[in-house]
Amino acid sequence: MRLLHTSDWHLGRSFHRVGMLGAQAEFIGHLVGTVREREVDAVVVSGDVYDRAVPPLAAVELFDDALHRLADLGVPTVMISGNHDSARRLGVGAGLMGRAGIHLRTEPAACGTPVVLSDGHGDVAFYGLPYLEPALVKDEFAVEKAGHEAVLAAAMDRVRADLAARAPGTRSVVLAHAFVTGGQPSDSERDITVGGVAAVPAGVFDGVDYVALGHLHGCQTLTERVRYSGSPLPYSFSEATHRKSMWLVDLAADGAVTAERVDCPVPRPLARIRGTLEELLADPALAPHTEAWVEATLTDPVRPADPMARLTERFPHTLSLVFDPARTADDPAVSYARRLAGRDDQQIAEDFVTHVRGAGPDPHERAVLRDAFDAVRADDAVREVAR
């Protein structure tokens, strides 16, 4: 069986205030064309279809168009909700869509109930594990401690139990939206840290033939059977080196996996350039970036006059301007944002305690802070679901 694995469409998202709907529509056309030309048997979409819980109408219309075009091809599609999606909204009409071959899996309770497709070698069971917010699903999975590894492990126990009851030789595919250990994140993913832990070990998914992951925006192979497709478009300059693609996966009769990357259309290349303003305006080596979306980091010791206007004369698609003059870490001119770069909410709070009290928090106090942040995240998730 030939699968096309994609994820993280983020329909409705912009890139530094540049609307991406046209590029997203081009990607959908490319996906449909790939399904047709490469004789794909099933499409799997591993979450974050939309960029937010209540997407703009234009994004919903594009999603509707994608579903109609896939259904017209007669190729089944299995799709889960991600942490950016409203699972309840995305799942509306799932029963009716399933009759057209579009299988939406957004209910945590249905993790162990697969979509079963068949080829000349027998059945393939597709298990959809939507994004599992630990605080919201811990009761469903009867886990004592709300954490990503615990709820995913419980969900996979249901998958393995169902698979064990099926005919010998039944192949299996799991769709999941999670941060799995070994994956490389970028700046455009929403933090899903719970209890100080964001990642889960790949071993959680043992026992199935292929795991189609979503959440991280870089295409990557964790093992031959566990892969991220990545987002089809860039959503931050940290993705400047990404090769945006989908996985074309052949699942053999014995469950063996072979995979090929299928490149996605590039609306415009990304470039990160760095130097003084005069260097950036004069350096001939930067000529290839004149048509790219540009993030320029200026290292001038004093902020120059009209830097954006001058940069856009040479690089008309400059979208981001960063000032990073060379200074020592204890220089009072170092910006607050730079001092916080790379630090999560827990670390910032602990730094604040240290600054105010002269000593850092003890283990109990760290646990209190961590629980407070987890409670806020859970409350945000509940509010988003209820919208």
Side-chain angles (χ1 to χ4, degrees), residues 304-349:
D306 300 321
M308 182 62 89
R310 295 173 65 189
L311 276 169
T312 53
E313 289 179 3
R314 186 181 188 193
F315 306 103
H317 305 287
T318 301
L319 301 182
S320 175
L321 188 57
V322 180
F323 294 95
D324 187 21
R327 292 192 174 103
T328 61
D330 58 355
D331 190 321
V334 174
S335 72
Y336 182 66
R338 282 187 60 197
R339 293 200 302 272
L340 297 185
R343 304 186 70 74
D344 60 29
D345 291 341
Q346 176 86 15
Q347 292 170 319
I348 293 169

Side-chain angles (χ1 to χ4, degrees), residues 4 11 53 102 112 208 216 298 318 323 335 385:
L4 188 63
L11 300 181
I102 305 295
V208 296
L216 299 185
L298 299 184
T318 301
F323 294 95
S335 72
V385 168

Side-chain angles (χ1 to χ4, degrees), residues 64-76:
D64 181 64
D65 176 64
L67 296 189
H68 276 86
R69 294 169 73 178
L70 288 169
D72 287 345
L73 291 177
V75 175

